[in-house]
Amino acid sequence: MSSIEVQQFTYRHGDVELAGYMAQPSRYPRAAILIVPTIMGPNKQMFERARWLASLGYSAMVCDLYGKGPIDNMREARALADILRADAEYYRERFHFALEELRRRSTLGNNRIGAIGYCMGGEIVLEMARGGEDLALVVSFHGLLATPLPAKRGTIKSRILVCHGRADPLVPPKQMRAFMEEMDFAGADCHIHIYSGVLHGFTDISGSSGSMDAIKYNASADRQSKAAMLSMFDEVFENKRTPDQQ
């Protein structure tokens, strides 16, 4: 079995310096996965996700949002997010550069690449799919579904998995209906898993601290959404045996 190698590094989007964190098996990764964090930026939980995916045989890179590392204050995070979202094309471009960094640093010997995101990160991976990024799969966990640039017919190349809490007040039913109509119009291969009674941020165990009434961890939805992601990984990436497993 391969050991896990961890790197911390910087990369750039124009004049913005960003921090990356990568974990990957030393040999023969099955696929490469970009991890896009919540509005609060890259943190310990996201780094743990990267190491967990690496233990399953994937190259996994946690990208940066603002070039400021993790943000402790929600008000500051919202202000930074508003600035980043103000130009939709620039917003998408920020994460195109992250994908290019993942491709460059991964020891991947094939072209199987996916992206997963949480909250704002879920919104971002959907924007990447809408923009036609060459991705096999994107997975959104409690991500926002609205967009200023709806997908055009035939633009989306990736398969899509959306894991959504039915009681999430940040994504009202009208937004979900509009998203489903958008995906149908675009001809996207989109799976949507909905968890009844579940709020926003259901994968974030620190979300039960009470900082926002809309956010609450849900252990069952966390487990089920993670299982759905791994099942989709098996289907999309085929999880063929690597040379050191034969």
Side-chain angles (χ1 to χ4, degrees), residues 183-199:
M183 293 298 103
D184 287 344
F185 174 79
D189 184 343
C190 180
H191 292 205
I192 300 174
H193 292 207
I194 297 176
Y195 309 108
S196 179
V198 173
L199 293 168

Side-chain angles (χ1 to χ4, degrees), residues 46-61:
M46 295 295 105
F47 300 156
E48 289 172 352
R49 298 264 161 96
R51 293 193 297 271
W52 170 65
L53 285 174
S55 75
L56 298 178
Y58 298 95
S59 292
M61 172 183 152

